[in-house]
Amino acid sequence: MGTERGLRESKKQETRRLISDHATRLFIEQGFEATTIAEIAAAARVAKKTVTNYFPRKEDLALDHHEAFTQSLARVVAGLAPGEPPLPALGRAFRATLVGHSPVAGFTGPEFARMVADSPTLTARLRELHDRREEALAEALAAASPGTVPSIAPRATAALIAAADRLLFRRIQELTLAGRTNDEIEAELTPEADHVYGLLLAAVGPGAGGGPAAP
């Protein structure tokens, strides 16, 4: 039974990747708004209903890392040891995504970045995902905060961190669209991220963080 479930899950993941890959190719070739679910289904050789079962929103076909994106900051905080300040851990996590050229940090390649930038729908969806990321972070910070802090403190800290995160994400996209390679972007963003995290430390204080984004 376990083997059978594993095969079914593997098949589902394979189908999901197939649909997502064909959707991304069509979005880049034709533009997001101009591409239909029917065209994606035909390219992937599946029914339209299969596409919408895996991806209820058309935007999720393009931004298919949305769950990892919205939860990534919160997961770092949730994994902290008792009393460990979140800011250094978040800085290290960002550095890891920078070194790994992760799509979660904004490394998407120039064609994909241009496709998103040219689509009002995807641009709006990305703003929504940033907002959801901030909300998830605020909840994680609240859960990790001592009861003595003001109730607004986790939300205020999350707002500052999320604003910095948006800035760094946009900076990576900006450099991508300017034709810079991933290695060049990493080299330029490393000191910039350290500077941003230094500003965060000054803003939130040592109780919420302990240093810049250095490993």
Side-chain angles (χ1 to χ4, degrees), residues 91-92 94-95 98 168 188-201 211-215:
R92 290 191 298 270
F94 178 80
R95 177 64 64 82
L98 195 59
L168 294 171
E188 187 151 348
L189 260 289
T190 296
E192 292 185 356
D194 287 345
H195 178 73
V196 168
Y197 271 85
L199 293 175
L200 280 175
L201 174 61

Side-chain angles (χ1 to χ4, degrees), residues 9-22:
E9 184 60 30
S10 177
K11 178 62 176 176
K12 287 180 180 179
Q13 291 302 319
E14 181 182 340
T15 301
R16 182 183 177 86
R17 282 195 301 271
L18 177 69
I19 294 170
S20 178
D21 288 348
H22 280 291

Side-chain angles (χ1 to χ4, degrees), residues 168-188:
L168 294 171
F169 186 96
R170 286 198 299 267
R171 183 75 173 125
I172 291 171
Q173 292 277 285
E174 172 189 308
L175 292 173
T176 298
L177 290 171
R180 307 289 287 276
T181 68
N182 285 348
D183 287 340
E184 290 172 338
I185 295 170
E186 178 191 342
E188 187 151 348

Side-chain angles (χ1 to χ4, degrees), residues 40-52:
I40 294 166
R45 297 185 178 181
V46 298
K48 284 176 61 177
K49 185 175 178 59
T50 301
V51 175
T52 55

Side-chain angles (χ1 to χ4, degrees), residues 9-110:
E9 184 60 30
S10 177
K11 178 62 176 176
K12 287 180 180 179
Q13 291 302 319
E14 181 182 340
T15 301
R16 182 183 177 86
R17 282 195 301 271
L18 177 69
I19 294 170
S20 178
D21 288 348
H22 280 291
T24 299
R25 175 180 60 80
L26 289 171
F27 291 153
I28 290 173
E29 289 175 358
Q30 303 178 173
F32 178 80
E33 269 76 18
T35 302
T36 67
I37 298 296
E39 289 174 320
I40 294 166
R45 297 185 178 181
V46 298
K48 284 176 61 177
K49 185 175 178 59
T50 301
V51 175
T52 55
N53 281 343
Y54 279 95
F55 300 93
R57 296 180 62 161
K58 183 182 173 184
E59 298 95 304
D60 293 341
L61 282 157
L63 304 174
D64 59 345
H65 295 282
H66 61 92
E67 184 176 352
F69 179 80
T70 57
Q71 295 299 316
S72 60
L73 300 180
R75 284 173 179 158
V76 173
V77 174
L80 295 175
E84 182 182 359
L87 196 52
L90 289 166
R92 290 191 298 270
F94 178 80
R95 177 64 64 82
T97 63
L98 195 59
V99 171
H101 303 164
S102 171
V104 172
F107 288 93
T108 59

